[in-house]
Amino acid sequence: MADFNFVDLGLKEYKACWDYQEERLQELVTQKRSTGKPSADNHFILVEHPHVYTLGKSGDEANMMANADFLKKIEATYFKINRGGDITYHGPGQLVGYPIIDLENYKIGVREYIEKMEDAIIATVGEYGLAAGRKEGATGVWLQPDHKVRARKICAIGVRVSRYVTMHGFALNVNTDMRYYNYINPCGFASSAVTSIQQELGREISMDEVKEIAKRKFNEAY
């Protein structure tokens, strides 16, 4: 299997990146329809967003605790979107990844796709000495996932799949401003249950370094 075609968009507004994803997804779906075969093309977007909250299609609006006026004050925007999952925060210092791939080409189902994504993130934070894992009954990647009090999420995951082509993906907290989690119940959990690599290690982390590690781990996982 060929390595992913990584596209680094730097800092990009959420809506513009969402539109970009939709365009790439439609290209793959159209290609599948015309050829009758799975598409071998793949796009893997790496990006940081300005402050934004997104609510998945199954999410509870009550988990967005800030009103429109307050969002303006903290320079954040808010979108209801078509991925799975509840409310999520994105912002500078957070590495967001959007794989747009044909699962039929990789010969995997949605569950395995998400598990491989989690594996790659677990391996990425492991390079920084952080032992991460899955939390029963919750998506994403967690530190001390089995601890009743200390379990904390370091990476959120929410995907959409259309004709076996994926979009949306993961949000890994690297140097994230954690104050922005105070205004939501992220994925239904209290904001105190969220962390970042910087918060765990007590120092700023090179985003470029994290990107290179993540690229390698995702290529290995898939």
Side-chain angles (χ1 to χ4, degrees):
M1 188 64 63
D3 287 347
F4 286 118
N5 173 33
F6 290 100
V7 180
D8 191 340
L9 297 182
L11 183 69
K12 194 173 185 68
E13 289 283 350
Y14 186 82
K15 184 60 168 64
C17 195
W18 187 7
D19 292 343
Y20 182 82
Q21 288 186 74
E22 290 278 12
E23 290 168 7
R24 302 290 83 75
L25 181 144
Q26 289 306 319
E27 286 173 2
L28 265 64
V29 169
T30 300
Q31 188 182 95
K32 285 186 74 170
R33 283 175 175 157
S34 63
T35 64
K37 298 177 181 178
S39 173
D41 289 353
N42 70 71
H43 306 278
F44 199 132
I45 301 164
L46 295 176
V47 66
E48 292 177 67
H49 293 304
H51 303 296
V52 60
Y53 297 99
T54 67
L55 183 71
K57 58 189 177 182
S58 59
D60 184 351
E61 285 200 67
N63 286 326
M64 176 73 252
M65 299 185 291
N67 61 28
D69 288 340
F70 188 75
L71 287 175
K72 287 182 182 178
K73 184 178 177 181
I74 62 173
E75 299 181 334
T77 53
Y78 173 61
F79 291 95
K80 295 179 183 178
I81 62 172
N82 58 1
R83 62 159 169 78
D86 210 295
I87 196 155
T88 301
Y89 163 75
H90 299 307
Q94 182 190 72
L95 177 60
V96 181
Y98 299 128
I100 304 171
I101 64 174
D102 187 343
L103 297 181
E104 287 189 309
N105 182 59
Y106 286 79
K107 295 181 173 60
I108 56 175
V110 177
R111 182 183 294 275
E112 187 178 355
Y113 166 65
I114 292 173
E115 287 177 352
K116 286 180 179 292
M117 184 179 294
E118 290 169 340
D119 288 341
I121 296 297
I122 290 168
T124 298
V125 301
E127 291 288 309
Y128 292 91
L130 299 175
R134 299 178 179 88
K135 181 178 174 65
E136 188 174 350
T139 58
V141 174
W142 297 68
L143 303 184
Q144 293 184 275
D146 299 325
H147 198 288
K148 290 184 179 180
V149 177
R150 295 178 185 168
R152 53 213 184 273
K153 180 180 276 192
I154 198 165
C155 180
I157 291 176
V159 304
R160 175 194 170 205
V161 180
S162 176
R163 292 180 66 88
Y164 292 99
V165 178
T166 67
M167 66 178 288
H168 301 298
F170 71 88
L172 173 62
N173 289 330
V174 181
N175 301 309
T176 313
D177 185 342
M178 305 305 290
R179 293 174 298 179
Y180 279 79
Y181 282 100
N182 293 333
Y183 315 124
I184 61 172
N185 285 324
C187 301
F189 292 89
S191 60
S192 60
V194 184
T195 191
S196 68
I197 301 176
Q198 180 186 40
Q199 185 165 289
E200 294 295 322
L201 300 185
R203 61 181 173 85
E204 189 168 342
I205 308 300
S206 165
M207 182 63 82
D208 287 341
E209 180 182 79
V210 176
K211 287 177 182 177
E212 290 308 310
I213 293 171
K215 287 177 184 178
R216 188 169 72 250
K217 299 302 182 183
F218 269 91
N219 281 335
E220 290 171 0
Y222 288 87

